C-alpha cells in the first residue's frame, strides 16, 4: 500500500488532505509538528511526503533539508499563496514539487499522483548502462552521478533533469521541455522551477557555479549540457 505522510499544523487543511488521500486508497499518517515529522520520516518508510512550510518545531524547509541529506523520498511542499520566495526556497531545500495554498483537493491528488507515477518510472524505466558527457558520468540504473570521478548526491528531480540534458549534449532544452521531461507528462508546473533545479545542479556539478561551463544557459532559449 502506498504510504503518505502529511505534515500540516492547520487542522482543517490537514484533515481535508488526509481524508482525500485516504479516499484515494493511500495509507495516510498525519502529523502537525516538524520535529515529529523528521523522526517519523526517518523511522518509517513513506512513498511521498506532503510537507507544509510553516510548522511548530522544525520548519518544513528544515525537515526537507535534513531528509535530503539522507533520503530520496519524494517531497511535495505546501506553500503560502503569495510567498514567491517560499516556492523557490522549497525547491532549493530539495523538494520535488510544491502546491500553493489555497489548493483544491483534485489538484492535490493530481500532484501526488504525478510524483508517485514519476517515481515508478524512475524505478522501472531507469534505463541501463552508464552515460558519459565529458567528465560527467551518469549511471542510469543505479541513479548515481559522478563528476570527474567524484560521486555527487542528486535529488530525484536533479538526476532526472541531468539525464534529460545528457540525452543530447549540445542541444538546447527550453524550460518547458525540461519540466515536461521532469514530470514525464504534459503537467509542467511552474517553468521557473527549472531555473531553481538548474541552480541546485550547478552547485553540484560545476567547479564554479557562478561561471558554469557544463550546464550552460542559452539566453532566451533554455539550457544545454556541454561536453567538458
Ligand atoms: Ca502551517
Amino acid at each position: 500500500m502506498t504510504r503518505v505522510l502529511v505534515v500540516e499544523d492547520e487542522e482543517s487543511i490537514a484533515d481535508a488532505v488526509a481524508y482525500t488521500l485516504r479516499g484515494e486508497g493511500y495509507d495516510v499518517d498525519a502529523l502537525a509538528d516538524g520535529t515529529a515529522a523528521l523522526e517519523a520520516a526517518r523511522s518509517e518508510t513513506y512513498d511521498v511526503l506532503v510537507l507544509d512550510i510553516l510548522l511548530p518545531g522544525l520548519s518544513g524547509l528544515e525537515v526537507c533539508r535534513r531528509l535530503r541529506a539522507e533520503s530520496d523520498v519524494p517531497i511535495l511542499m505546501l506553500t503560502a499563496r503569495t510567498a514567491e520566495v517560499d516556492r523557490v526556497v522549497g525547491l532549493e531545500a530539495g523538494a520535488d514539487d510544491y502546491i500553493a495554498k489555497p489548493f483544491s483537493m483534485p489538484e492535490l491528488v493530481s500532484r501526488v499522483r504525478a510524483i508517485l507515477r514519476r517515481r515508478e518510472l524512475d524505478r522501472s524505466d531507469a534505463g541501463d548502462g552508464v552515460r558519459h558527457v565529458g567528465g560527467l558520468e551518469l549511471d542510469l540504473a543505479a541513479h548515481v552521478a559522478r563528476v570527474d570521478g567524484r560521486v555527487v548526491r542528486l535529488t530525484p528531480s536533479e538526476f532526472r533533469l541531468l539525464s534529460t540534458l545528457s540525452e543530447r549534449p549540445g542541444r538546447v532544452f527550453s524550460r518547458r521541455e525540461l519540466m515536461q521531461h521532469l514530470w514525464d507528462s504534459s503537467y509542467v508546473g511552474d517553468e521557473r522551477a527549472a531555473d531553481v533545479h538548474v541552480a541546485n545542479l550547478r552547485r553540484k556539478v560545476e567547479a564554479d557555479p557562478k561561471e558554469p561551463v557544463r550546464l550552460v544557459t542559452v539566453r532566451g532559449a533554455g539550457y544545454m549540457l556541454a561536453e567538458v
Side-chain angles (χ1 to χ4, degrees):
M1 200 178 197
T2 302
R3 298 192 67 198
V4 185
L5 176 61
V6 175
V7 190
E8 166 63 275
D9 59 320
E10 264 170 84
E11 215 178 314
S12 59
I13 298 177
D15 287 350
V17 167
Y19 177 83
T20 301
L21 294 178
R22 282 183 188 124
E24 291 295 307
Y26 302 135
D27 180 5
V28 179
D29 288 344
L31 292 170
D33 171 279
T35 312
L38 184 62
E39 246 168 62
R42 280 174 168 160
S43 57
E44 304 283 322
T45 306
Y46 291 104
D47 297 288
V48 59
L49 260 60
V50 177
L51 187 59
D52 187 36
I53 287 193
L54 290 176
L55 293 168
L58 287 175
S59 78
L61 289 176
E62 196 51 37
V63 172
C64 187
R65 254 181 231 119
R66 294 196 194 181
L67 276 178
R68 269 294 166 259
E70 56 197 66
S71 154
D72 288 338
V73 63
I75 297 176
L76 172 64
M77 244 12 188
L78 303 182
T79 70
R81 174 173 46 116
T82 49
E84 168 90 9
V85 65
D86 274 5
R87 307 180 192 185
V88 173
V89 292
L91 296 171
E92 279 175 354
D96 294 280
D97 198 8
Y98 57 78
I99 186 167
K101 293 177 183 176
F103 49 84
S104 71
M105 290 302 135
E107 193 183 357
L108 174 86
V109 168
S110 85
R111 297 296 184 90
V112 169
R113 277 199 194 134
I115 281 188
L116 289 168
R117 179 170 166 276
R118 196 191 68 177
R119 203 182 59 135
E120 280 313 303
L121 286 167
D122 284 345
R123 282 178 173 174
S124 61
D125 171 38
D128 44 23
V130 176
R131 196 177 284 161
H132 291 269
V133 181
L136 178 73
E137 182 186 300
L138 287 179
D139 184 331
L140 299 171
H143 270 225
V144 172
R146 289 185 184 80
V147 174
D148 301 325
R150 175 179 54 92
V151 172
V152 290
R153 191 177 175 90
L154 303 181
T155 67
S157 296
E158 289 163 3
F159 191 90
R160 204 169 171 93
L161 277 191
L162 203 51
S163 87
T164 298
L165 287 161
S166 71
E167 278 169 24
R168 305 272 301 278
R171 174 196 184 283
V172 181
F173 289 78
S174 71
R175 287 167 179 79
R176 184 175 185 79
E177 250 182 309
L178 284 176
M179 292 305 287
Q180 269 170 350
H181 278 278
L182 177 60
W183 293 105
D184 202 36
S185 78
S186 56
Y187 166 67
V188 167
D190 189 337
E191 286 178 36
R192 286 165 301 176
D195 300 334
V196 181
H197 289 307
V198 166
N200 288 346
L201 269 171
R202 280 178 174 153
R203 280 196 284 276
K204 298 176 180 181
V205 306
E206 297 281 358
D208 179 0
K210 290 203 176 77
E211 300 286 339
V213 294
R214 182 165 271 137
L215 250 172
V216 184
T217 303
V218 180
R219 196 171 294 187
Y223 297 102
M224 64 166 234
L225 188 64
E227 291 200 49
V228 292

